[in-house]
Amino acid sequence: MPALHSLPPEIVTNIVSHLDRNDCITCIGVCQQWRRAIPPCSASLWTDVAIATNADYILDHIPYFAPHLRSVTLLSNFGENRLYQALIKLQECHRIDRLRKLSRSRG
């Protein structure tokens, strides 16, 4: 099996286009080469992201995809501490144009 870097960029992009966010996160854990190659190829998945309170998995990997983030919505009822933790992780995402927090109304 050829190494990822030996494949033409169009092939890598085509392969990655069939992955979802969780698959991309799993792939960047394979090795440094994949950690460098996967985020640019999956940029469209990371342009607009909604994050639930139980999404530590996504938040922990945000730095790898930060250059592609433009809009982030924090869903559900983030408590003050969880909201602070999420904002700390998002602070390196310098290209975010829109950051929203949506809470479910009780009723």
Side-chain angles (χ1 to χ4, degrees), residues 30-56:
V30 170
C31 65
Q32 287 183 358
Q33 178 192 16
W34 284 34
R35 196 170 298 125
R36 287 188 302 270
I38 300 297
C41 294
S42 65
S44 63
L45 284 175
W46 299 94
T47 303
D48 184 18
V49 176
I51 302 172
T53 53
N54 61 351
D56 288 331

Side-chain angles (χ1 to χ4, degrees), residues 30-90:
V30 170
C31 65
Q32 287 183 358
Q33 178 192 16
W34 284 34
R35 196 170 298 125
R36 287 188 302 270
I38 300 297
C41 294
S42 65
S44 63
L45 284 175
W46 299 94
T47 303
D48 184 18
V49 176
I51 302 172
T53 53
N54 61 351
D56 288 331
Y57 188 63
I58 289 177
L59 281 171
D60 289 344
H61 294 86
I62 284 292
Y64 300 109
F65 302 97
H68 311 294
L69 286 171
R70 298 295 178 272
S71 173
V72 176
T73 303
L74 302 173
L75 301 172
S76 195
N77 295 318
F78 271 77
E80 189 175 309
N81 189 42
R82 297 280 297 146
L83 178 60
Y84 178 75
Q85 291 171 359
L87 292 174
I88 291 294
K89 291 178 181 184
L90 291 169

Side-chain angles (χ1 to χ4, degrees), residues 2-3 5-6 9 15 24 27-28 34 51 76 87-88 100-101:
H5 69 276
S6 68
I15 293 168
C24 289
C27 287
I28 66 169
W34 284 34
I51 302 172
S76 195
L87 292 174
I88 291 294
R100 299 185 314 157
K101 180 182 177 284

